[in-house]
Amino acid sequence: MKPEDEQPSEEELREAAALAAALENEPAGGGAPTDALETAALLRHARAPLAVPPAHAPVVAAHVAPALEARRMPRPRRSRIWIAISVVAPAAAAGWLFLAQSPMRAHRHPIQPKIHVAPPAPSSGLLAAQAAATRSGDAPGVALARLDREMRAYRRQYHEGLRRVHGGAR
Amino acid sequence: MTFNDPAWLDQERRLLGELRRGDRTAFSRLYGAFAQPLYARVLLPKLGDRQTAEDVLAETFRIMLEKLDQYDDRGGSIWSWLATIAANKARDVERERARRGQALRGFALLSAPLLDAQPPGPGDDAGDAARMQAAVARVISEINPRYRRALTLRFLEDRPRTECAELLEVKVATFDVLLLRALRAFRERWQAITAADAPAGAGPASLPVSA
């Protein structure tokens, strides 16, 4: 620290002029000494409370509103995706197997006439079980078990129909 | 109450749970708790400009909402995470200013030892400001009377430099030199006092710099 009455050097005069310009936000303030600028900032902010103005709250609320709104939007539940996969994948596999084996079966039994057996109409219990399995979000286990029972009953019914037409061969 | 107080931590965890579902009331309460300490302890000291500090504060809360699902809750307060977001954002602004050659400076190096001596808490309206003002008053009272007068006129009373020079009966260029010396005298005394008062480990390095 220099005594206040000491003659300033060229360097100090240049620093003082740059500081004065910087405090006035003038372009010439670019070379102002950092230590003096930091101290000036501290003193300037010390004269008023370091408080966020109350008017800032609604500004922030508006700024974050889209991010808040995005959090309020419901997201697709994973369990529903898995239910859809568990229904579609076996059906696709069964369809592929049926198509792949059809030519071989036709080759083995070329002269057998085709007998169409219409599948039975699904029961109201089966439809209700399907609907429940699609809806059940967080506890799909119970609904899927019920759907499985209903599907077994339906398949039994269908196979009985096939046996009646084909004379109980299977 | 500080952010590490168990009563606050319970409340904070509940509010964060509600905020994850987009609850506006929870956001308002968290803003009320964290905005002031983020502004007074991190943003204003780093940036030295109120308007920029307010802009970065708003951006800090937006980033918080966007990244909330990535926040790793280890049982402590979200304060450190928020302070890191704010500090990183302020650093981006500082870099941009430096690139444009702007002279505006913050005062974080000077204020950190004083403010870090007291752990932050929800709201924390008056404490930080009162400590800063008391420390400034103390340091000003301990420096050369002519320097004290120059600093008081220019910064505490916010007078133009021509008027300050007139009141001190010197030329404007002489006042500029006087002010530079006064600022350096103030800084030297400030650092001596705050270093003596700060607990071990307090200071600018105590703020984590990355998430």
Side-chain angles (χ1 to χ4, degrees), chain B residues 51-79:
Chain B
Q51 186 55 55
T52 314
E54 287 169 25
D55 292 348
V56 177
L57 182 64
E59 189 58 9
T60 300
F61 279 99
R62 191 192 63 75
I63 294 171
M64 167 208 170
L65 275 171
E66 265 188 18
K67 296 192 171 175
L68 191 56
D69 296 329
Q70 297 169 24
Y71 170 62
D72 182 15
D73 183 0
R74 295 179 186 175
S77 172
I78 200 169
W79 160 254

Side-chain angles (χ1 to χ4, degrees), chain B residues 33-52:
Chain B
F34 289 108
Q36 179 56 36
L38 282 172
Y39 181 77
R41 287 174 173 250
V42 182
L43 295 175
L44 196 55
K46 270 190 170 295
L47 297 165
D49 168 54
R50 287 175 186 274
Q51 186 55 55
T52 314

Side-chain angles (χ1 to χ4, degrees), chain A residues 1-4 6 12 15 24 34-35 37-38 42 45-47 50 52-53 56 63 69 71-72, chain B residues 20 22 24 31 36 48 54 58-59 65 103 105-107 132-133 146-147 154-155 181 184-185 187:
Chain A
M1 183 178 68
K2 289 190 174 183
E4 61 158 300
E6 186 181 307
E12 197 176 18
E15 285 185 329
E24 303 283 342
T34 303
D35 62 336
L37 280 176
E38 285 175 352
L42 175 83
H45 290 289
R47 74 169 174 255
L50 305 174
V52 188
H56 191 54
H63 188 70
E69 198 53 42
R71 292 199 159 271
R72 294 165 73 90
Chain B
R20 285 191 174 94
R24 288 194 180 90
Y31 173 84
Q36 179 56 36
E54 287 169 25
E59 189 58 9
L65 275 171
R105 299 291 303 194
F107 51 90
M132 284 281 284
Q133 283 170 341
R146 199 159 165 78
Y147 290 165
R154 187 73 176 104
F155 298 115
R181 290 178 179 180
R184 285 182 166 155
R187 185 185 179 94

Side-chain angles (χ1 to χ4, degrees), chain A residues 26-106:
Chain A
E26 289 170 5
T34 303
D35 62 336
L37 280 176
E38 285 175 352
T39 312
L42 175 83
L43 282 163
R44 276 186 162 166
H45 290 289
R47 74 169 174 255
L50 305 174
V52 188
H56 191 54
V59 175
V60 176
H63 188 70
V64 304
L68 261 180
E69 198 53 42
R71 292 199 159 271
R72 294 165 73 90
M73 304 275 272
R75 297 175 185 185
R77 292 184 179 175
R78 286 184 180 177
S79 54
R80 287 189 185 170
I81 294 167
W82 282 112
I83 288 171
I85 290 171
S86 65
V87 170
V88 171
W96 181 81
L97 276 173
F98 178 78
L99 290 173
Q101 288 185 354
S102 290
M104 288 189 289
R105 202 176 293 147

Side-chain angles (χ1 to χ4, degrees), chain B residues 83-157:
Chain B
T84 304
I85 293 175
N88 289 342
K89 202 71 203 159
R91 199 171 300 119
D92 291 346
V93 173
E94 279 179 315
R95 281 200 198 107
E96 179 60 21
R97 271 185 191 164
R99 200 180 60 75
R100 285 184 285 168
Q102 290 184 329
L104 201 59
R105 299 291 303 194
F107 51 90
L109 284 174
L110 296 172
S111 64
L114 180 80
L115 296 177
D116 288 356
Q118 182 74 28
D124 207 18
D125 278 323
D128 289 342
R131 275 199 304 284
M132 284 281 284
Q133 283 170 341
V136 166
R138 179 182 166 189
V139 173
I140 280 210
S141 73
E142 292 180 10
I143 59 174
N144 174 317
R146 199 159 165 78
Y147 290 165
R148 181 189 315 148
R149 182 117 169 90
L151 294 179
T152 303
L153 289 172
R154 187 73 176 104
F155 298 115
L156 304 186
E157 296 178 10

